[in-house]
Amino acid sequence: MSTALASQTAIISGGLGDIGRAIARELASQGADIALCDLRPPADAEPFLSELRALGQRARYDVVDVSDASAMRAWVREVESALGVPTLIIPNAAQVTQADVRHLSAEQWRRELRVNLDGAFHLAQAGALRLVEHRKPGRIVFIGSWAAHRVHAHIPAYCVAKAGLRMLCQCMAVEFATHGILVNEVAPGIVDAGLSGRIMDGNDALRDSVRALTPVNTLVQPDDVAQAVAFLCAPNNRQMTGSVILQDGGLSLLTPKP
Ligand SMILES: NC(=O)c1ccc[n+]([C@@H]2O[C@H](COP(=O)([O-])OP(=O)(O)OC[C@H]3O[C@@H](n4cnc5c(N)ncnc54)[C@H](O)[C@@H]3O)[C@@H](O)[C@H]2O)c1
């Protein structure tokens, strides 16, 4: 087992989702203590917390809605008291509403932006301010999406939120660089789990056609995302900031056939 991230505390929103769990496992396996939040009741987190503790790390779970700025600030402080100042900050929570612009309600639009963009901002801001206060270096890794880079007309609110995240990442990279805080993004393509996995579940024909469309002919796995996050969190990453690791198997390079 690696100890590359020993003495670090990772804080991950949406930590009970498929990608959130994979990130938590990877960072714990490299020696980081782990704090997770999600919307599900604490009992749902217990088996996973045991798994993380079996890796030799401290782990905790709290029910926190990322769209609530003051709850997010309070959570970051609670984690700090329990596990130490979070040094690896991973805004990961998101939802997706499948509705094109004609059918998207104002409330759906607001909720998507509140969770996917505001929620990521609340965690990143609260975490960065604690690092500055303690004069500690750290890493922020946003979980974006290739949807920020290409139009997906059936999920416009999701695309807009992820495009906003891209610019937030760059703004924060500049603002916090002199504090030793590097801010980056991992942008997965179509993952065979989580938000898109659930859409493909029970529809093997859809899964096969999506895979066939992807130049590398494989779908992204949660562990691919987790390893990219760990790379950006590693102490030997000293220069990458404001960057995005796009993991879409070449999908966004394609030009639609006429
Ligand atoms: N699955 C994909 O194909 C894919 C592709 C690109 C990017 N992503 C991104 O990966 C990240 C993780 O998604 P996933 O695919 O693992 O989905 P997931 O649904 O398995 O995980 C998302 C988690 O976020 C939690 N969550 C939702 N709203 C929340 C809120 N208001 N407060 C706290 N937690 C909340 C959910 O309960 C869930 O556990 C997201 O940022 C998503 O946009 C996923």
Side-chain angles (χ1 to χ4, degrees):
M1 213 168 76
S2 159
T3 54
L5 300 177
S7 322
Q8 309 253 17
T9 298
I11 188 165
I12 306 169
S13 64
L16 295 187
D18 288 340
I19 292 173
R21 284 176 195 250
I23 295 168
R25 259 186 222 107
E26 181 61 31
L27 300 184
S29 75
Q30 298 199 20
D33 291 328
I34 305 291
L36 309 169
C37 82
D38 209 301
L39 298 174
R40 287 160 58 181
D44 286 6
E46 275 312 317
F48 186 55
L49 292 178
S50 302
E51 194 188 318
L52 296 174
R53 288 172 188 141
L55 294 169
Q57 301 311 130
R58 295 182 293 168
R60 66 177 276 145
Y61 171 74
D62 296 282
V63 180
V64 189
D65 183 335
V66 293
S67 67
D68 181 338
S70 59
M72 188 51 64
R73 278 194 299 272
W75 179 53
V76 171
R77 292 235 180 206
E78 277 168 37
V79 170
E80 182 176 319
S81 304
L83 301 180
V85 183
T87 47
L88 310 175
I89 297 153
I90 322 291
N92 165 72
Q95 60 168 56
V96 63
T97 303
Q98 294 198 60
D100 63 18
V101 167
R102 274 176 299 183
H103 299 100
L104 194 64
S105 70
E107 181 44 40
Q108 285 173 319
W109 168 266
R110 272 196 298 271
R111 180 74 191 153
E112 194 105 337
L113 274 282
R114 274 206 305 265
V115 173
N116 297 5
L117 183 56
D118 299 3
F121 168 74
H122 298 322
L123 175 55
Q125 183 197 42
L129 291 177
R130 297 309 297 153
L131 286 169
V132 171
E133 169 92 15
H134 287 275
R135 298 174 186 273
K136 271 182 167 279
R139 302 281 192 275
I140 299 172
V141 183
F142 291 104
I143 307 304
S145 169
W146 78 301
H149 308 262
R150 282 292 285 257
V151 171
H152 294 65
H154 62 300
I155 49 168
Y158 184 84
C159 291
V160 169
K162 294 296 186 181
L165 209 58
R166 182 83 278 275
M167 183 49 75
L168 173 63
C169 170
Q170 294 175 86
C171 291
M172 288 190 70
V174 170
E175 184 171 346
F176 292 99
T178 55
H179 296 277
I181 301 170
L182 304 186
V183 188
N184 291 291
E185 175 191 333
V186 176
I190 300 175
V191 182
D192 196 5
L195 297 175
S196 53
R198 284 193 292 277
I199 294 168
M200 296 184 288
D201 280 347
N203 189 343
D204 288 345
L206 176 62
R207 183 172 271 113
D208 290 346
S209 68
V210 169
R211 188 184 294 117
L213 264 181
T214 310
V216 299
N217 199 34
T218 54
L219 299 175
V220 185
Q221 297 299 325
D223 283 348
D224 297 324
V225 183
Q227 279 162 30
V229 170
F231 166 77
L232 291 168
C233 288
N236 58 6
N237 169 34
R238 298 183 308 112
Q239 288 295 330
M240 275 183 78
T241 196
S243 297
V244 55
I245 296 182
L246 177 63
Q247 293 184 307
D248 70 352
L251 263 175
S252 57
L253 303 175
L254 297 178
T255 307
K257 292 197 180 83

